[in-house]
């Protein structure tokens, strides 16, 4: 397991140093702001949604390595997905990192999100790992309040 942990750590650090889709989007159809007061993670999310499909997604802001890597990986995963698919991935990811997943659940089905398997042992880190997703759901539901992890 140690090797896997190290590999996961490397992936997280790499995404936090070189985040994907890390820029502002001028013609976004949906936006939301997310803030995790416990850690200080603070991001803005931009989406371009057409006919129920996430055509484009980007984010900007700052936060710890886990929150930034999670936002980076999330954007690369949900781009091109339907809203329903994105919500389903979040449900699976959320129960996975909060340790509530079914015992038959296969983490490999989460693809790149499996790198956050270690955070389920650290409740404070779960908030960092899920912040971008809570923000995404708020953006999809066009909620105007800031998404927090509380
Ligand atoms: Zn954080």
């Amino acid at each position: 397991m140690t090797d896997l942990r190290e590999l996961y750590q490397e992936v997280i650090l790499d995404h936090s140093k070189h985040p994907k889709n890390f820029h502002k989007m001028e013609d976004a159809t949906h936006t939301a702001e997310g803030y995790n007061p416990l850690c200080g993670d603070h991001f803005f999310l931009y989406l371009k949604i057409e006919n129920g499909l996430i055509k484009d997604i980007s984010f900007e802001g700052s936060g710890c390595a886990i929150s930034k890597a999670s936002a980076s990986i999330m954007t690369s995963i949900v781009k091109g997905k339907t809203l329903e698919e994105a919500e389903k991935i979040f449900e699976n990811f959320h129960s996975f990192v909060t340790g509530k997943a079914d015992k038959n659940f296969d983490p490999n089905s989460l693809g790149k999100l499996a790198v956050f398997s270690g955070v389920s042992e650290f409740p404070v880190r779960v908030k960092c790992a899920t912040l971008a997703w809570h923000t995404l759901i708020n953006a999809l539901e066009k909620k105007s309040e800031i998404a927090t992890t509380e």
Side-chain angles (χ1 to χ4, degrees):
M1 276 311 275
T2 316
D3 290 351
L4 196 58
R5 278 281 164 86
E6 276 169 18
L7 172 70
Y8 285 170
Q9 195 69 28
E10 245 169 63
V11 173
I12 289 170
L13 284 177
D14 190 50
H15 269 277
S16 73
K17 280 184 201 150
H18 312 284
K20 303 266 189 293
N21 308 303
F22 191 65
H23 57 85
K24 192 174 177 162
M25 196 189 298
E26 297 297 344
D27 54 346
T29 59
H30 294 58
T31 60
E33 179 178 0
Y35 179 54
N36 173 14
L38 274 176
C39 183
D41 311 318
H42 193 187
F43 294 102
F44 293 88
L45 197 61
Y46 307 93
L47 291 115
K48 204 181 292 172
I49 297 174
E50 275 171 40
N51 304 321
L53 202 75
I54 300 171
K55 293 280 246 188
D56 202 5
I57 179 167
S58 68
F59 75 106
E60 60 174 7
S62 60
C64 67
I66 289 178
S67 65
K68 207 168 188 179
S70 174
S72 170
I73 292 172
M74 179 193 79
T75 56
S76 57
I77 283 180
V78 302
K79 196 188 272 190
K81 297 275 195 298
T82 66
L83 304 189
E84 289 77 20
E85 283 167 339
E87 282 167 10
K88 186 76 202 154
I89 295 167
F90 171 58
E91 270 174 39
N92 286 334
F93 177 60
H94 193 261
S95 42
F96 174 61
V97 291
T98 53
K100 294 185 186 116
D102 191 90
K103 61 174 163 42
N104 296 319
F105 181 73
D106 177 12
N108 291 322
S109 68
L110 286 170
K112 277 189 223 156
L113 290 171
V115 298
F116 296 103
S117 61
V119 306
S120 60
E121 294 160 35
F122 308 98
V124 173
R125 288 306 184 188
V126 170
K127 293 176 190 294
C128 300
T130 56
L131 176 65
W133 289 90
H134 286 294
T135 312
L136 172 70
I137 299 301
N138 265 17
L140 298 183
E141 293 173 359
K142 288 234 172 201
K143 285 189 183 156
S144 53
E145 74 263 32
I146 297 174
T148 71
T149 47
E150 298 308 296

